[in-house]
Amino acid sequence: MIIRKKFNFEGAHIVRNCTSKHCRENIHGHSYEVEVFLKSDALDNGFMVMDFVLLNNTREFIHSFDHSYTLWDKEPEKVKNAIKTVNTRIAEIPVSPSAEGYALLFFYVIDKIIAANIFINGEKNVRLHSVRVHETKSGYAEAFREDLPLVNFSLNDIKFSAGIQQEWKNQEWWNSLLKIYS
């Protein structure tokens, strides 16, 4: 059985090296929709794959991109410094912030969040099936487990500014995840 949870965020970025001159040369934003699909071949004591409350850290992770600038770590230092002087909410990531980059990054991180969950209600074999990132109403990218070989980074390569971290409800969730997977 597959279940889906939908999240939203508003974000800005530049997508370098893409075909569109507008996208590769200009800061612009989107209203993103992120769909997280979970799969299990069993149901828990509540007759669910899992309770959505167990996605609190996933929500926190995705919300970290809300009203934030997503900065590709390959940007020149002068661009990074300029962005950091005018923004308090910055997520610096090791992939280009295209829909495909987000989908792969989100799958990688959410997969680790799900694996780190402590299940206490009879949940069995819950795993991430896919992550779909809608950048526009007409287009999305979807990442699956078989896409993980495209990952050429670790959790330590993802940086959240103090402006993002200060708003986390649980200040330790990210550090806990880093400790598990370092």
Side-chain angles (χ1 to χ4, degrees):
M1 182 171 286
I2 294 177
I3 60 172
R4 175 195 74 130
K5 182 68 173 167
K6 183 171 70 168
F7 303 91
N8 297 291
F9 73 93
E10 307 292 328
H13 64 179
I14 296 175
V15 181
R16 300 290 185 197
N17 305 321
C18 71
T19 304
S20 166
K21 185 175 180 179
H22 286 112
C23 292
R24 73 174 181 254
E25 294 181 1
N26 296 287
I27 294 173
H28 61 283
H30 300 278
S31 295
Y32 292 91
E33 183 177 278
V34 180
E35 295 177 275
V36 176
F37 296 88
L38 300 158
K39 184 176 186 174
S40 180
D41 52 7
L43 298 177
D44 69 7
N45 296 331
F47 213 70
M48 298 186 290
V49 168
M50 68 177 256
D51 194 319
F52 286 137
V53 74
L54 295 172
L55 292 175
N56 286 343
N57 288 343
T58 296
R59 183 183 324 99
E60 197 76 84
F61 172 67
I62 294 170
H63 181 73
S64 296
F65 293 87
D66 189 44
H67 286 82
S68 296
Y69 185 87
T70 302
L71 180 63
W72 187 21
D73 69 2
K74 303 288 185 280
E75 286 283 1
E77 286 303 315
K78 71 178 188 174
V79 173
K80 289 181 184 181
N81 292 335
I83 293 296
K84 291 175 181 177
T85 62
V86 296
N87 290 284
T88 59
R89 291 182 55 85
I90 301 165
E92 188 169 341
I93 63 173
V95 295
S96 178
S98 62
E100 294 87 345
Y102 278 130
L104 185 62
L105 180 89
F106 288 5
F107 187 97
Y108 174 77
V109 174
I110 295 167
D111 188 48
K112 294 191 176 312
I113 291 171
I114 299 301
N117 263 343
I118 297 171
F119 294 112
I120 58 170
N121 196 35
E123 301 90 351
K124 294 182 185 94
N125 201 23
V126 176
R127 58 206 177 277
L128 185 59
H129 175 70
S130 67
V131 174
R132 184 180 293 167
V133 177
H134 297 259
E135 190 175 78
T136 64
K137 288 186 183 272
S138 62
Y140 68 81
E142 190 165 6
F144 298 88
R145 186 157 310 282
E146 57 265 24
D147 298 318
L148 285 176
L150 299 171
V151 170
N152 199 11
F153 55 86
S154 73
L155 291 177
N156 289 314
D157 296 319
I158 303 165
K159 311 284 188 226
F160 295 109
S161 67
I164 291 172
Q165 292 182 39
Q166 290 167 354
E167 294 182 18
W168 288 340
K169 290 179 180 140
N170 174 358
Q171 295 291 310
E172 283 304 308
W173 78 271
W174 184 250
N175 288 332
S176 297
L177 202 62
L178 290 174
K179 285 178 190 169
I180 292 169
Y181 293 105
S182 292

